[in-house]
Amino acid sequence: MTSSPHTYRFADWHAEPQLNLLRRGDETVRLKPRTMDGLAYLLEHPGRVVSKDELLREVWRGQAVTDDALVVTIYELRKSLGDRARQPTYIETVSGRGYRFLPTVTLVESREAVESEPVRETPPPLRRWRWAWAACAVVILSVVALGVLQARPATDDPEMLTALETARGELALRTAASLTRAELAYRHLGDDPRALAGLARVATLRADLRLGDRFALYHQARGLAERALAIDPTVVDAHLALGAIHLLIDWDVEAARLSLDRALALAPDDPDVLQVQAWQLSALGRHDAAIDAARRAVEGASSSITHRADLAFLQIVADRPDKALETIAATSLDDPELTRLAAIAHLAQGDEASAGELLHRWAGSPASLPADYWAIIGAVAERLADDHALVMRAALHAREGELDTAMRLLERAYERRDWEILWLERLPGFAPLHAHEGFAALIERRRQVQLS
């Protein structure tokens, strides 16, 4: 899509697509060309739900892009407009359908926009030279300041270290409340690179727990991690956050490996780094190495349910459900995630009765739920939003012989970059799909993305 020749007015904003500018009073915001193209298309169709497919077709004009690009574009537009996804003023997400531009839009003569552009005086030669020297001075001072920041010892402030350790402890709990506490603690520390990296970790963990728009959260985390590394390239949590982003949303296992190698060189025994390395190795099919890394993560964080659950999951996808049950039995904690994984391990062994009994406990044993594993999956799926648990729903339909429906759900999960797709062919319940042409094609497309 080329930039619209029109100028638009909505609310108290003017949009000038040919200049890639948004204006509001004395405020001017410059957008990326593609972001402005997306806004211009929405402005041309106000009040109407514009589907994702339509936006991708009209804005990207046949370029091979995924929904990721569109989600990032909408995120950037909302950020520029000061909009909020949950309480939108400008761009409403219509679940399962697309986006609607809410304000009334008025076309404005282009001449009006041009005349509103402030005239900038061209400085005479002497002034230009002064500006050039001033710019050089700013650059030199910035480089010196950056060197000071990078050279500053990371252990020079006991109070800072205590605050960072407290915040990292909140990260380890991996709950919505603990992540909020961690975010507040990191923000209190300002622009320290370790705090920026901590905020990146908060965003990635929220994405993992689906506490918001995954693509927007990973996009936010990437920016924070890169800012941290620009100040100090030895910040472990920044490399760790990038490793998780490259693996879980980019599906770029080589980039994930490079980030994790840097993190491991700085902190070879860090349980969180070992945990993400285990995911990366497993995604490559290196199951023995993955289980070894996950086991070392458990040894380094013996009280962490998350690390133990990850070890059990990786043992399941490595076709070692008996080992997964041993891992789960090694803790006396009655944790819902461990219970769910134990059910999956029993299912992998073909013991649907035991799997159903455990899943019944995981679901809170409401009287309305049946005891059969697959029936419980169906009952739970009915209570979830349409865009949640897509892979779980696909397994249910595959079990019932509805293979085309299962494949449609898996295609949606693929477009959303659901992490389960990385291990899809090794998850219990998908045997009926293994001979399906579409299933094999989806796995091959994922492999090409992983290795590209």
Side-chain angles (χ1 to χ4, degrees):
M1 176 177 179
T2 56
S3 296
S4 169
H6 302 296
T7 297
Y8 304 88
R9 181 189 294 131
F10 59 94
D12 49 356
W13 288 97
H14 278 76
E16 301 175 39
Q18 288 187 314
L19 299 174
N20 295 319
L21 291 179
L22 282 172
R23 299 182 188 276
R24 180 170 60 179
D26 295 332
E27 180 183 0
T28 300
V29 179
R30 185 172 297 278
L31 300 181
K32 297 176 183 176
R34 187 75 68 188
T35 305
M36 177 55 85
D37 284 347
L39 176 60
Y41 195 80
L42 291 173
L43 291 171
E44 290 169 3
H45 303 86
R48 176 168 78 79
V49 178
V50 179
S51 72
K52 294 181 178 180
D53 288 344
E54 181 179 349
L55 278 168
L56 288 170
R57 182 179 66 250
E58 297 298 329
V59 176
W60 276 266
R61 289 292 182 181
Q63 293 184 34
V65 296
T66 66
D67 281 2
D68 306 19
L70 177 57
V71 170
V72 170
T73 295
I74 297 297
Y75 168 76
E76 290 175 346
L77 280 176
R78 284 179 171 145
K79 183 178 179 181
S80 298
L81 293 166
D83 204 10
R84 291 182 294 177
R86 292 188 178 181
Q87 295 178 307
T89 301
Y90 302 103
I91 302 172
E92 177 189 17
T93 299
V94 182
S95 180
R97 296 177 60 195
Y99 302 97
R100 179 191 287 119
F101 195 78
L102 298 175
T104 300
V105 178
T106 305
L107 281 177
V108 181
E109 290 294 332
S110 298
R111 187 186 312 110
E112 177 183 334
V114 172
E115 289 173 354
S116 69
E117 181 77 18
V119 177
R120 294 176 176 83
E121 177 190 0
T122 302
L126 180 58
R127 286 174 58 191
R128 283 203 296 266
W129 276 108
R130 286 175 180 168
W131 286 17
W133 279 110
C136 288
V138 170
V139 170
I140 291 169
L141 288 173
S142 299
V143 171
V144 171
L146 183 58
V148 169
L149 283 171
Q150 291 181 341
R152 184 178 61 190
T155 59
D156 59 356
D157 186 348
E159 186 175 341
M160 172 76 77
L161 289 177
T162 300
L164 288 167
E165 189 63 29
T166 300
R168 213 164 193 263
E170 296 288 358
L171 282 184
L173 297 176
R174 286 170 166 76
T175 66
S178 71
L179 292 177
T180 297
R181 292 192 296 269
E183 179 182 16
L184 291 173
Y186 283 128
R187 291 197 182 283
H188 184 68
L189 299 177
D191 286 338
D192 184 280
R194 294 161 295 185
L196 294 173
L199 289 171
R201 295 274 329 276
V202 169
T204 60
L205 291 173
R206 280 180 172 152
D208 294 343
L209 295 172
R210 300 187 186 278
L211 299 174
D213 185 321
R214 290 176 66 241
F215 292 109
L217 286 166
Y218 280 124
H219 180 71
Q220 176 189 15
R222 195 190 309 268
L224 287 163
E226 289 173 349
R227 279 178 60 196
L229 292 175
I231 299 171
D232 184 349
T234 67
V235 179
V236 173
D237 276 348
H239 290 297
L240 173 56
L242 286 177
I245 293 164
H246 291 318
L247 179 65
L248 296 177
I249 203 71
D250 298 340
W251 291 355
D252 187 339
V253 290
E254 178 59 20
R257 182 189 67 79
L258 291 173
S259 290
L260 294 170
D261 282 352
R262 294 183 185 110
L264 285 167
L266 295 164
D269 297 318
D270 186 294
D272 291 343
V273 178
L274 289 167
Q275 180 188 35
V276 179
Q277 185 200 35
W279 301 344
Q280 181 255 342
L281 291 168
S282 178
L284 284 173
R286 298 178 57 190
H287 299 294
D288 289 340
I291 289 170
D292 180 64
R295 187 173 286 113
R296 289 172 57 203
V298 169
E299 291 169 355
S302 57
S303 62
S304 170
I305 293 297
T306 302
H307 292 75
R308 191 173 296 277
D310 277 0
L311 172 58
F313 173 76
L314 295 177
Q315 288 169 325
I316 290 170
V317 299
D319 198 22
R320 301 172 196 174
D322 53 333
K323 296 297 182 183
L325 291 171
E326 290 177 10
T327 295
I328 295 167
T331 177
S332 58
L333 294 174
D334 187 14
D335 179 77
E337 179 62 11
L338 292 177
T339 300
R340 185 185 73 87
L341 286 168
I344 295 173
H346 280 297
L347 184 67
Q349 292 180 320
D351 186 353
E352 293 191 14
S354 296
E357 182 180 344
L358 284 167
L359 199 64
H360 203 276
R361 191 200 315 168
W362 168 78
S365 299
S368 59
L369 281 182
D372 173 72
Y373 179 91
W374 293 104
I376 295 172
I377 289 291
V380 171
E382 287 179 0
R383 303 178 185 185
L384 299 174
D386 287 344
D387 58 348
H388 283 71
L390 294 171
V391 174
M392 181 178 77
R393 285 193 174 93
L396 176 63
H397 286 287
R399 168 78 175 180
E400 295 174 350
E402 300 168 353
L403 304 188
D404 290 339
T405 301
M407 282 307 307
R408 283 196 294 272
L409 290 167
L410 290 181
E411 287 288 350
R412 283 172 57 192
Y414 181 96
E415 291 172 3
R416 288 169 46 86
R417 286 291 202 269
D418 282 0
W419 62 267
E420 296 100 324
I421 295 292
L422 289 170
W423 291 273
L424 184 59
E425 66 270 41
R426 305 191 69 87
L427 293 177
F430 287 100
L433 278 175
H434 285 184
H436 192 286
E437 182 179 351
F439 187 83
L442 185 145
I443 297 299
E444 181 58 29
R445 278 159 46 207
R446 185 207 66 199
R447 286 175 178 158
Q448 292 302 318
V449 172
Q450 288 178 269
L451 299 175
S452 62

